[in-house]
Amino acid sequence: MSSTFHPGNVTPFRQGGLPTQTLFDRQELTRIMDLYGRMVSAGHWRDYAIDMGKDAAVFSAFRRAAERPEYRIEKRPSLRNRQGMWALIGEAGAVLKRGADLGPVLAPVERKLMKLVEE
């Protein structure tokens, strides 16, 4: 049997072992997208990007599409037992908040949203 690709061949899903990609689960993505929607409603964010790689899943929020992201929300499961798998990273690349749970990591952005709504 040759190792060339044939359109009729079906590649089975990988069974067991370590995942090949880090993903956001439904609850995590719902929480992040809820915050994104509220920031869009406040007129602060206009675009987002999601990158799901081998080591990390990253949600980036942009004020404008052509800029660097204002915030990046990273999930790195390899840091789960050390610093916590969640990180909030600012525009300059500094880690603003790190933790084991998503809620406290999003708290600085939630506080900023409250200030935007009050204005």
Side-chain angles (χ1 to χ4, degrees):
M1 186 176 267
S2 69
S3 62
T4 59
F5 175 76
H6 297 289
N9 289 352
V10 176
T11 304
F13 286 114
R14 183 176 162 167
Q15 299 291 323
L18 296 175
T20 58
Q21 194 173 33
T22 301
L23 306 170
F24 294 114
D25 67 29
R26 182 182 296 259
Q27 289 177 333
E28 295 163 350
L29 196 54
T30 298
R31 180 95 189 248
I32 293 168
M33 291 305 291
D34 176 61
L35 175 61
Y36 173 77
R38 289 183 287 143
M39 291 295 275
V40 168
S41 294
H44 192 69
W45 287 348
R46 295 177 188 242
D47 201 6
Y48 72 93
I50 298 177
D51 179 32
M52 296 185 200
K54 183 177 181 182
D55 299 325
V58 181
F59 180 91
S60 303
F62 298 85
R63 278 177 274 175
R64 290 174 194 77
E67 294 182 350
R68 289 184 296 182
E70 180 178 15
Y71 291 108
R72 287 190 340 252
I73 302 162
E74 292 189 356
K75 177 183 178 181
R76 292 186 179 272
S78 63
L79 298 177
R80 175 180 288 132
N81 296 327
R82 284 182 261 163
Q83 305 160 345
M85 72 175 169
W86 292 100
L88 178 66
I89 300 171
E91 190 170 3
V95 176
L96 305 175
K97 186 87 172 170
R98 187 177 292 279
D101 296 321
L102 181 57
V105 171
L106 295 179
V109 183
E110 300 264 355
R111 282 192 297 274
K112 184 174 186 172
L113 176 63
M114 293 303 152
K115 290 178 187 174
L116 289 170
V117 171
E118 289 175 2
E119 292 177 355

